[in-house]
Amino acid sequence: MDRLAAIEIFVRVIDTGSFSAAARYQGVGQPAVSKAVAQLEDWLGVRLLLRSTRSLALTEAGRDFYDHAKRTVEEADEAVRAARGAAVGLSGRLRVSAPVCFARLHVIPRLPDFLASHPQLDLDLRLDERNVDLVDEGIDVALRMGDLPDSSMLVRRIGQARRLVIATPAYLERHGTPTSPDDLQGHQLVIYTHDGVGEACTFRRGAVETTIVPRGRISITASEGVRAAVLADIGLTVASEWSFTPELASGTVVPVMVDWVLAPIALSAVFPTGRLVSAKARAFIAFVEHCLEPRVGLAA
């Protein structure tokens, strides 16, 4: 049995929904498809499919196997296209994980251009504040903010943005404008957090350095929530300029304490360990870089 061919046939059966459709796709007879799936089940020692006269259903083992087999087939196809110099013709499915707020503001509005450039490519965009497991969830590339823990994953820095203390003019009119980190203790802070305590912020002005841990009455576990709270005039926040790009441009929010500098925040592309970085993933990352260029200047 040609194991790779049998795996590909099994994937085509699931993708097309029937043995006969898979046979037509592969250009073989239906008995050959049935035999390949049966041999694959015998080799694995598990039942992958539950068959009836009208339908097919994956077993639990079949579902797990399909998720991995699908990626194997796609990577094999990608390797063939690259070897033939056909990587410009991107096709198949690209699975991307990205932060909700960043994707909504900077990626999704410009997706029509990317999709129009690659009409044979399908995009599975999974938005989450969590750093998901790329291998377990079948992700081809993830966009990650901030410092990344040491790991064996392949990481490529895309760019970075300033972190700012941001508020609405209406809030500042009512509560005053802070001019130093110490002044923040007397203000309402909207804190982005995963555990109820904000990340320590180190401010620098010339040779002077001071660190505070933001505290406030409201802490929120999603950037979109932080945005909504600030825009509702609840308080100030420390955030990347990417999180408020439209509002900073329009004056709906303004940066304060601009003579005090915070460390910038990085945006990185992360690829799963042990997988070929596909032309699809590379094209998407180039697209994201292009999305940022005209909107936010990237610090060196």
Side-chain angles (χ1 to χ4, degrees), residues 1-277:
M1 177 185 66
D2 184 330
R3 292 174 184 173
L4 183 58
I7 290 170
E8 181 177 2
I9 288 172
F10 168 73
V11 168
R12 301 307 181 199
V13 168
I14 305 308
D15 288 347
T16 61
S18 71
F19 281 71
S20 57
R24 289 193 296 272
Y25 185 97
Q26 295 292 116
V28 299
Q30 183 173 331
V33 171
S34 299
K35 181 179 179 181
V37 172
Q39 288 178 332
L40 186 60
E41 290 178 324
D42 288 343
W43 177 63
L44 293 171
V46 295
R47 177 65 63 87
L48 300 174
L49 290 170
L50 299 176
R51 307 165 179 80
S52 72
T53 55
R54 295 185 178 181
S55 65
L56 295 172
L58 284 167
T59 64
E60 183 176 353
R63 189 176 299 107
D64 291 340
F65 184 75
Y66 170 77
D67 290 339
H68 293 282
K70 177 75 170 177
R71 294 197 296 271
T72 297
V73 171
E74 289 178 346
E75 289 184 0
D77 289 344
E78 182 68 38
V80 170
R81 283 193 295 269
R84 291 176 174 173
V88 292
L90 303 181
S91 63
R93 181 170 296 275
L94 176 66
R95 300 172 184 86
V96 177
S97 173
V100 180
C101 181
F102 180 83
R104 185 180 71 81
L105 292 177
H106 299 282
V107 177
I108 294 174
R110 302 185 66 175
L111 275 181
D113 295 338
F114 180 74
L115 297 175
S117 298
H118 307 289
Q120 301 303 314
L121 183 64
D122 294 330
L123 181 63
D124 183 352
L125 186 57
R126 304 182 185 186
L127 305 184
D128 205 311
E129 299 288 333
R130 301 175 302 121
N131 287 342
V132 300
D133 188 300
L134 305 191
V135 175
D136 285 351
E137 302 205 17
I139 302 298
D140 297 299
V141 59
L143 301 178
R144 298 269 173 88
M145 293 283 189
D147 296 330
L148 302 178
D150 292 336
S151 74
S152 59
M153 291 187 298
L154 176 63
V155 177
R156 175 185 166 190
R157 177 73 64 87
I158 298 176
Q160 60 184 28
R162 295 176 297 167
R163 285 195 303 158
L164 304 168
V165 181
I166 293 169
T168 61
Y171 172 85
L172 297 174
E173 183 177 351
R174 290 200 302 269
H175 300 281
T177 301
T179 59
S180 73
D182 289 341
D183 291 345
L184 294 177
Q185 306 305 323
H187 280 267
Q188 293 295 333
L189 294 179
V190 180
I191 303 167
Y192 176 70
T193 178
H194 290 293
D195 55 12
V197 178
E199 181 181 347
C201 298
T202 298
F203 292 86
R204 294 181 177 86
R205 186 175 66 179
V208 179
E209 181 177 296
T210 183
T211 300
I212 68 166
V213 177
R215 299 185 185 278
R217 295 179 61 195
I218 180 169
S219 58
I220 302 177
T221 60
S223 297
E224 289 285 10
V226 172
R227 279 175 45 83
V230 171
L231 295 175
D233 307 322
I234 290 175
L236 306 107
T237 196
V238 177
S240 80
E241 58 188 330
W242 282 326
S243 296
F244 287 88
T245 300
E247 292 80 13
L248 286 166
S250 67
T252 304
V253 299
V254 294
V256 299
M257 297 169 41
V258 293
D259 54 335
W260 289 90
V261 178
L262 288 157
I265 188 168
L267 175 69
S268 301
V270 181
F271 305 91
T273 305
R275 297 256 311 270
L276 177 71
V277 178

